[in-house]
Amino acid sequence: MPPARRLLRVARVLRPVLVAAAVAGVFIAPSAAHATPSVEDLQEQITTKSAKLEKVVEQFNKAREDLKRTRAEAAALEQSLGPLQKQLDAAQERVTAIAVRAYKGGDFAAMSSVLQSGSAATAVDRLTTIDRLASANQREIDAYRAARKDHSDRAAAIAALAKSQQKTVDDLAAKRKDITRELEHLNDLRRQAYGSAQETSSNANVRAPNVSGKAGVAVRFAYAALGTPYSWGADGPGGYDCSGLTMAAWRAAGYSLPHNAAMQYNQLPKIGRSQLKPGDLVFYSGLGHVAIYVGSGKVIHAPTFGEVVKIAPVDMMSPYGYARVA
C-alpha cells in the first residue's frame, strides 16, 4: 500500500480518539484547574501567610520604636543647644568688654594710662591682669565652641540615623501592604467557604479573675479587649496586634512598654514558668509574638490577621520565655 494511502487510513482511525481527547480537554481540564480549594487548604494558606505577616508587622513596630527614640534624642539635643549658645554669647561679651576697656581711646590712650600708673611694675601688673582675664575668657569661649561643634556633629549623625530608620519603616510598610493584599485575596476565598472573612467574637463578655494591684488593671483591660479584631500596628481601642495589646494593657496600669514583642522582652526582668502570675507576659515564635498571662494556664492575645483577641492555653505554641512587668 502506498505510504500516502496508509497515512490517510491511520488518520481516519485516530480521528474519533483525537476528537474525544479534545472534548475531554475542554470539559474536564478546566474543571480540575479551577477546582474550589477545600476549607482546610484555605486555612493552611491563611495561617502560613499570616505568620509571615506577623513577623513583618513586628519588624515594622520595632522600626517605628527605634525612629521614635531617635527623634526624641534629636529633640533633647536641640533643646540643650539653647543654654550652650547663651553661655557662649556671655563669654564672648566678657572678652569684648575687656578688649574695649583695654584699648578704649586707641593705642596712645592705652599707653598713656599705663605710663601714668606710677611705676613700671604697676603697669606690668595691669597689662598682665588684662591679658590673664582675656585668656581665661578666651579658653571658656574655645571650650563652648568645641562643645557646640560636638553637638552639631551629634545632631548630624542623629539626623542621618533618623533618615535611615524612616526608610526602613517605609520599606516594611510596603512589604506589609503586599502581604496584606494577598491575605485579602485569601479572605475572599474564606468568605466563600465560611460566609465571613473576619472571625466572630471569641470569649467576649467573659468575667475577669480577681487580681489585685497593677497586674489586675492590665488583666482586666485584656479581658475587656476580648473580641476586638486583630489589626496590624494597632494598640487600640478598635484593634490590636500582639504587642499592641500587651502595651495597651500595661499602659492602662501606668507602665510604659515599647510596641514590639522583642523590645518588651529585652526591657523586662525574666522569670521561670513556675513563677507565672496574672499580668506576666509570655513570648512565642522567637520573640515574634507575645500574650498576657491571666491565670489558670491561660493567656489572652491578639492572634493574627482575620481573627480577634481571644483566650488561649499558655501552650498554644511553644513558649520562648516569660517576663514580669511589675
Side-chain angles (χ1 to χ4, degrees):
M1 180 181 296
R5 184 175 295 178
R6 187 181 302 116
L7 288 173
L8 182 59
R9 178 174 293 180
V10 170
R12 287 173 180 171
V13 171
L14 291 178
R15 183 178 296 166
V17 177
L18 293 173
V19 171
V23 171
V26 171
F27 292 102
I28 298 176
S31 176
H34 294 85
T36 302
S38 67
V39 173
E40 291 77 13
D41 289 339
L42 290 173
Q43 189 57 54
E44 183 178 354
Q45 292 181 62
I46 292 170
T47 299
T48 300
K49 290 189 179 295
S50 295
K52 184 179 179 182
L53 173 64
E54 184 168 44
K55 290 182 180 179
V56 175
V57 169
E58 283 301 292
Q59 291 172 3
F60 176 80
N61 289 339
K62 181 180 185 302
R64 284 197 308 182
E65 287 290 324
D66 288 340
L67 181 59
K68 183 169 67 176
R69 292 181 179 184
T70 298
R71 286 174 173 168
E73 184 180 356
L77 184 64
E78 181 66 26
Q79 189 174 10
S80 72
L81 284 175
L84 183 69
Q85 185 62 51
K86 288 181 179 179
Q87 291 173 325
L88 176 62
D89 292 342
Q92 185 70 61
E93 288 177 5
R94 287 195 293 272
V95 169
T96 301
I98 290 171
V100 169
R101 287 197 302 271
Y103 302 106
K104 189 175 182 180
D107 292 339
F108 290 108
M111 183 62 70
S112 175
S113 175
V114 170
L115 292 176
Q116 293 173 7
S117 61
S119 70
T122 302
V124 170
D125 288 343
R126 287 184 181 180
L127 289 173
T128 302
T129 300
I130 290 172
D131 182 65
R132 191 174 297 155
L133 288 171
S135 297
N137 280 274
Q138 188 59 52
R139 286 194 298 272
E140 188 178 6
I141 287 176
D142 291 342
Y144 285 132
R145 283 177 175 167
R148 187 171 65 176
K149 184 180 183 305
D150 178 63
H151 275 64
S152 298
D153 292 343
R154 285 175 57 198
I158 289 173
L161 178 60
K163 184 177 180 180
S164 174
Q165 290 172 338
Q166 184 63 61
K167 185 179 185 305
T168 300
V169 169
D170 294 341
D171 290 345
L172 287 170
K175 185 186 296 186
R176 185 183 65 173
K177 185 177 180 180
D178 291 340
I179 296 175
T180 301
R181 190 181 300 115
E182 293 180 38
L183 284 172
E184 287 172 349
H185 170 66
L186 289 176
N187 275 344
D188 287 339
L189 298 179
R190 190 167 77 170
R191 191 178 292 107
Q192 297 174 22
Y194 294 116
S196 173
Q198 177 67 53
E199 183 181 55
T200 56
S201 180
S202 174
N203 302 120
N205 299 319
V206 178
R207 192 169 184 176
N210 186 18
V211 180
S212 62
K214 291 186 176 181
V217 175
V219 168
R220 287 190 291 276
F221 183 97
Y223 269 88
L226 288 172
T228 305
Y230 174 92
S231 179
W232 44 256
D235 60 353
Y240 299 94
D241 62 17
C242 68
S243 57
L245 175 64
T246 52
M247 180 182 78
W250 273 102
R251 182 175 59 202
Y255 197 96
S256 178
L257 289 174
H259 193 164
N260 174 262
M263 294 174 82
Q264 290 179 8
Y265 182 80
N266 292 332
Q267 176 176 312
L268 299 172
K270 314 303 179 290
I271 59 173
R273 172 69 174 259
S274 62
Q275 298 172 288
L276 271 178
K277 295 180 180 180
D280 293 338
L281 302 187
V282 184
F283 297 85
Y284 304 89
S285 301
L287 298 180
H289 191 73
V290 61
I292 183 168
Y293 185 69
V294 294
S296 302
K298 303 290 185 183
V299 295
I300 291 179
H301 70 134
T304 189
F305 191 88
E307 299 187 26
V308 298
V309 175
K310 63 179 65 175
I311 299 174
V314 70
D315 291 316
M316 59 178 175
M317 297 179 278
S318 179
Y320 176 91
Y322 315 91
R324 176 157 297 157
V325 181

